[in-house]
Amino acid sequence: DAKTTQPPSMDCAEGRAANLPCNHSTISGNEYVYWYRQIHSQGPQYIIHGLKNNETNEMASLIITEDRKSSTLILPHATLRDTAVYYCIVRGINTNAGKSTFGDGTTLTVKP
Amino acid sequence: NAGVTQTPKFQVLKTGQSMTLQCAQDMNHNSMYWYRQDPGMGLRLIYYSASEGTTDKGEVPNGYNVSRLNKREFSLRLESAAPSQTSVYFCASRDPTSYNEQFFGPGTRLTVL
C-alpha cells in the first residue's frame, strides 16, 4: 500500500467547508484512496473512497487530482460533531488483500 | 447484525500476566485485523488475517500472538504483558464485496501496571 502524508491538525469554523488534504505521490494505478474518521477514541468509521473520479456521498466529497498524487476530503458544512481524526489511506482492491495500515491522520477541530 | 464485537471493553493487568483479547464479526468477512492505538497517536497494525487459516505480521507484532479460530473469530494474545503494551486495541474486518471497506469494533482499553 502506498504511503500517505497528512497535516497533523487543522481548524475549521462551524458551518464552513472543511478541506482536508492528503498526499499519496507513490499511488499505483490499481490503488484506491479511502478516508476514515475516528471520533473521540471510538473505532474508525468509513467515510468515502475513490479511484480517479471525484466522489460524493451524504457525508463528504472526495476530490482526486488528475495525476492521482493527492486528494482532498471536503466536509461541506462542518459541525461541531465533525471534530475528529481523519485518516487518508491508499490500498488496492483485492478480495483477499492483506495489510491495511493507517498513519497518524489529521485532527480536525471544528470551532463555534 | 452486531458487526464487529470485542471483549473485554476494559482490562487492567500486572506486568508479566497474560491475557487474550477476543474479536468476532458476523458479516462473513474474509479479512480481519488487530490494531493498537497509543494516546495521541494513529493506528498501528499488529497482525492481520487475510482469510481463515492464515495470519501475518503487521507493523508492530512483537509481544503478541494471534489465532484465526474460524471465519468469525480472531483473537490477540499477550503472553507476558509489559507497560509498553498499555493501549487501546481495535479489531477490524474487511468487506470483500463493498470495495473492501473496513469495519471496526469499539475497542479494548488495556492498562498494564
Side-chain angles (χ1 to χ4, degrees):
Chain A
D1 297 340
K3 282 187 68 74
T4 62
T5 304
Q6 299 177 254
S9 63
M10 294 182 63
D11 291 343
C12 177
E14 188 178 19
R16 304 295 294 269
N19 297 284
L20 291 90
C22 180
N23 286 321
H24 31 79
S25 58
T26 61
I27 192 170
S28 61
N30 65 347
E31 289 183 318
Y32 283 67
V33 180
Y34 287 79
W35 283 84
Y36 288 77
R37 75 177 181 184
Q38 186 177 26
I39 296 175
H40 193 48
S41 298
Q42 298 174 17
Q45 175 192 23
Y46 165 84
I47 301 173
I48 197 168
H49 75 280
L51 182 62
K52 55 182 178 181
N53 298 320
N54 298 339
E55 302 288 344
T56 296
N57 63 20
E58 65 278 5
M59 293 180 68
S61 295
L62 174 60
I63 308 298
I64 302 174
T65 57
E66 193 168 339
D67 63 8
R68 303 210 321 122
K69 293 185 177 182
S70 65
S71 60
T72 301
L73 179 75
I74 300 172
L75 308 177
H77 305 287
T79 70
L80 298 178
R81 289 177 296 177
D82 291 322
T83 291
V85 179
Y86 289 79
Y87 297 97
C88 166
I89 65 172
V90 171
R91 64 169 181 246
I93 295 294
N94 183 322
T95 301
N96 290 319
K99 277 188 178 182
S100 178
T101 56
F102 286 65
D104 289 333
T106 296
T107 298
L108 175 69
T109 303
V110 180
K111 298 185 174 181
Chain B
N1 192 337
V4 179
T5 57
Q6 293 184 236
T7 55
K9 286 187 169 53
F10 300 93
Q11 183 71 50
V12 178
L13 293 177
K14 294 181 179 178
T15 296
Q17 288 185 315
S18 62
M19 79 161 295
T20 300
L21 281 64
Q22 306 287 353
C23 174
Q25 51 92 8
D26 61 1
M27 296 173 283
N28 202 37
H29 291 172
N30 287 329
S31 300
M32 297 185 73
Y33 305 80
W34 276 105
Y35 295 89
R36 62 176 287 174
Q37 185 173 37
D38 299 334
M41 305 290 288
L43 297 162
R44 289 184 291 171
L45 181 64
I46 305 172
Y47 270 93
Y48 65 99
S49 170
S51 60
E52 184 180 354
T54 68
T55 61
D56 284 287
K57 295 179 180 179
E59 302 168 281
V60 289
N62 291 342
Y64 305 95
N65 286 304
V66 290
S67 295
R68 184 73 184 269
L69 305 169
N70 47 55
K71 193 170 187 179
R72 288 189 64 249
E73 298 172 291
F74 189 38
S75 63
L76 178 72
R77 183 160 178 84
L78 287 71
E79 291 291 350
S80 179
S84 60
Q85 294 178 304
T86 293
S87 192
V88 180
Y89 291 84
F90 289 101
C91 177
S93 68
R94 193 157 156 186
D95 180 356
T97 64
S98 178
Y99 291 97
N100 288 286
E101 175 186 343
Q102 272 180 300
F103 294 83
F104 284 80
T108 294
R109 283 143 184 82
L110 175 67
T111 300
V112 183
L113 303 176

